[in-house]
Amino acid sequence: MPNPSKRKHNANEQAKYQRIASAHVPKPPLARNLVTAFAVGGIICAVGQGVLNYFVSSGMTFDEAIAPTLCVMIALSALLTATSIYHHIGEFAGAGAAIPITGFANTIVAAAMDFKREGYILGMGAKMFIIAGPVIVYGVVSGVIVSAIRWLSR
Amino acid sequence: MADVVQRRVGGSLRFPNRPSIIASSTIAGPMEGKGPLARWFDCVVEDDMFGERTPEKAERRFMRDAIDVALKNAGLEPDDLHIMVAGDLLNQTVTASFTAAEVPAPFMGVYGACSTSVEGLAIVASMVDAGFADVGLSVTSSHYQAAERQFRYPIELNIQRKSTSQYTVTGAGALVVSSGRGPVVVTEATIGKVIDMGIKDPNQMGPAMAPAAADTLYRHFVDTGRTPDYYDMIITGDLGAVGSSILRDLLQRRGVVLGDVYRDSGALMFEGVPGTGVGGSGCACAALTMGGLIYKKMLANEISRALVVATGALLSSLTWQQGESIPGVAHAVALEVQPGAAT
């Protein structure tokens, strides 16, 4: 008769192993990651600010300049993604490259490029938002919740 | 009954008819060509897409070329094969079966994740030893882009590698096994048990597979009565730097010291190549090391006994998203130089 407890390692054994294993896992270089994320994220934002300033200086109001600024940053990110540069920035800067809108644009373009091979309908069209989708869904959901709170507490 | 040949030693298999590896082939991608194992490869392809439109097709080209080169090296035609065993990482092992559609040989597809190369060799060696086949071929492949998009994220996605991440090896390796006398003999195989130690992070494949490798190695040494220094080289498949350090630790706790003869092909594959995490992974990792470094060193008589332990992380993109842990498996084959066959 097979002894069921012998067949699958129990939780105690697993926990003991995970303690042994985690001692071998190198710690992520937290300080380096923080510095590169801060620097690269800052540079991306500075570029965005420069674009915004340009639109304002050429006669737009601040509110008018926001949309075209985002368009320029998204286009720039799409270009850098298509030319295989943005993922290197992401590898180097982590959240510094992921959090700004350029990172968001990268997730959509990267998925579109990848799934194009499965066709424009079932591939690219269906799977373009495979990474960005959750951000949009929960962005809208949290927007509704926050607006509801604001409306109720008027 | 007196003449029954002993084919089982403990839980391991012994091949008394001494099936021989008569040829190998190793076709590697560009990143692999930058690593220290490159000098042992038959061919380094500079374009990892092989001029194809999809990475899946490119992977098939790697496998097809590996088969062609192995047969050429063995001086055989595809019709000569009595059995072909192939495997890869893609869903439904499409690389293996689509490639086999172009090869006129009886075919079995196998899946053992990155342990497939040794799994395939063990099956072919068993068949040749038992007389079911005179000549058999075992081939495996993996492709960085194809594996990445199946198991992880789109290629161009901005994402930072974790400190334990590994990099899928692009390439394919094949071995031709014959019942005739050849330069390298497959002497034993130890088939792995699936072990799940509850590691859930797909970025920690080394830690997920190390317990399986430790179990297979330990059983191999107990079954055969050998110690690690019996071998000139012990190579694990793709534990990476982290996983192989855990393996040493686990075996040491059971009284087995691996020592200097032990190396990991994942860690070796990309030694000094930037952007590859803690080492290579994928079916091709052990296949390229076995058909390249080990086989060629044996041909040159630089080493005479080697133990190859290919390790596999048996996850799918569905299971880890559903929060399941990652079971590991490891298969071992012992190889030795045919006495008197030195070149």
Side-chain angles (χ1 to χ4, degrees), chain B residues 7 17 81-83 106 123-136 179:
Chain B
R7 279 203 162 87
N17 293 328
L81 290 175
H82 293 179
I83 183 75
I123 293 171
V124 172
S126 303
M127 290 184 129
V128 170
D129 187 68
F132 295 120
D134 290 333
V135 185
S179 55

Side-chain angles (χ1 to χ4, degrees), chain A:
Chain A
M1 276 295 281
N3 177 353
S5 70
K6 280 278 174 207
R7 281 162 55 200
K8 187 146 184 165
H9 289 270
N10 65 36
N12 275 345
E13 280 176 291
Q14 290 190 339
K16 188 176 163 223
Y17 170 68
Q18 285 165 25
R19 269 197 306 278
I20 296 173
S22 59
H24 293 265
V25 174
K27 298 273 169 291
L30 205 60
R32 176 216 168 267
N33 287 353
L34 286 172
V35 171
T36 53
F38 181 79
V40 173
I43 290 169
I44 292 172
C45 293
V47 172
Q49 186 65 47
V51 174
L52 185 87
N53 290 356
Y54 168 78
F55 284 126
V56 170
S57 72
S58 54
M60 288 185 190
T61 67
F62 180 81
D63 284 346
E64 282 169 351
I66 291 175
T69 302
L70 294 181
C71 288
V72 168
M73 295 310 283
I74 288 169
L76 212 58
S77 166
L79 190 70
L80 290 175
T81 303
T83 47
S84 216
I85 295 170
Y86 203 86
H87 82 272
H88 290 296
I89 303 176
E91 172 74 54
F92 177 72
I99 302 288
I101 198 164
T102 49
F104 186 68
N106 163 267
T107 63
I108 297 169
V109 177
M113 287 167 71
D114 229 58
F115 290 105
K116 183 171 162 275
R117 289 140 178 161
E118 281 77 54
Y120 286 101
I121 308 293
L122 295 176
M124 198 169 98
K127 291 182 174 159
M128 203 161 159
F129 293 95
I130 198 160
I131 313 284
V135 182
I136 296 172
V137 169
Y138 297 111
V140 170
V141 168
S142 49
V144 168
I145 293 172
V146 169
S147 307
I149 293 171
R150 183 163 178 250
W151 184 73
L152 287 172
S153 60
R154 256 190 323 183

Side-chain angles (χ1 to χ4, degrees), chain B residues 21 114-115 117-119 121-122 175 184 188-190 216-217 220 231 233-238 262-263 265 285-291 293-295 298 303 305-311 330-336:
Chain B
I21 302 175
C114 315
S115 71
S117 56
V118 168
E119 183 178 355
L121 176 62
L175 296 169
V184 172
E188 285 95 8
T190 304
T216 300
L217 274 164
H220 179 84
Y231 294 102
M233 203 177 246
I234 298 174
I235 291 271
T236 48
D238 56 355
Y262 168 61
R263 302 298 294 272
S265 36
C285 192
L288 289 177
T289 313
M290 186 157 59
L293 173 84
I294 293 172
Y295 188 70
M298 289 187 127
I303 56 172
R305 291 169 181 151
L307 184 64
V308 187
V309 190
T311 43
H331 304 294
V333 284
L335 309 175
E336 70 179 44

Side-chain angles (χ1 to χ4, degrees), chain B residues 89-313:
Chain B
L89 287 180
L90 300 188
N91 291 340
Q92 288 77 41
T93 58
V94 282
T95 312
S97 30
F98 278 51
T99 310
E102 300 171 3
V103 180
F107 161 75
M108 288 168 90
V110 288
Y111 185 83
C114 315
S115 71
T116 309
S117 56
V118 168
E119 183 178 355
L121 176 62
I123 293 171
V124 172
S126 303
M127 290 184 129
V128 170
D129 187 68
F132 295 120
D134 290 333
V135 185
L137 178 134
S138 155
V139 60
T140 47
S141 67
S142 55
H143 194 287
Y144 170 73
Q145 290 199 35
E148 200 68 11
R149 62 194 300 244
Q150 178 180 304
F151 286 100
R152 295 180 195 94
Y153 299 107
I155 303 296
E156 299 297 339
L157 188 69
N158 75 91
I159 199 138
Q160 200 164 36
R161 253 160 226 287
K162 301 278 183 295
S163 59
T164 48
S165 298
Q166 290 176 241
Y167 191 96
T168 306
V169 169
T170 300
L175 296 169
V176 181
V177 182
S178 161
S179 55
R181 204 177 144 83
V184 172
V185 183
V186 187
T187 55
E188 285 95 8
T190 304
I191 306 300
K193 299 178 180 176
V194 175
I195 292 181
D196 185 346
M197 277 303 193
I199 301 286
K200 291 188 172 174
D201 179 359
N203 287 306
Q204 296 212 2
M205 301 222 280
M209 298 185 291
D215 178 73
T216 300
L217 274 164
Y218 186 79
R219 288 194 292 117
H220 179 84
F221 292 132
V222 170
D223 291 345
T224 56
R226 294 169 187 163
T227 54
D229 56 15
Y230 174 86
Y231 294 102
D232 302 312
M233 203 177 246
I234 298 174
I235 291 271
T236 48
D238 56 355
L239 291 177
V242 176
S244 51
S245 146
I246 297 172
L247 173 66
R248 279 183 189 275
D249 188 352
L250 290 178
L251 283 176
Q252 195 136 25
R253 285 163 196 262
R254 299 176 80 172
V256 177
V257 178
L258 284 175
D260 293 337
V261 294
Y262 168 61
R263 302 298 294 272
D264 177 66
S265 36
L268 277 174
M269 184 66 67
F270 292 127
E271 213 171 56
V273 183
T276 51
V278 293
S281 65
C283 294
C285 192
L288 289 177
T289 313
M290 186 157 59
L293 173 84
I294 293 172
Y295 188 70
K296 305 238 168 114
K297 269 186 184 273
M298 289 187 127
L299 287 187
N301 232 20
E302 285 176 42
I303 56 172
S304 54
R305 291 169 181 151
L307 184 64
V308 187
V309 190
T311 43

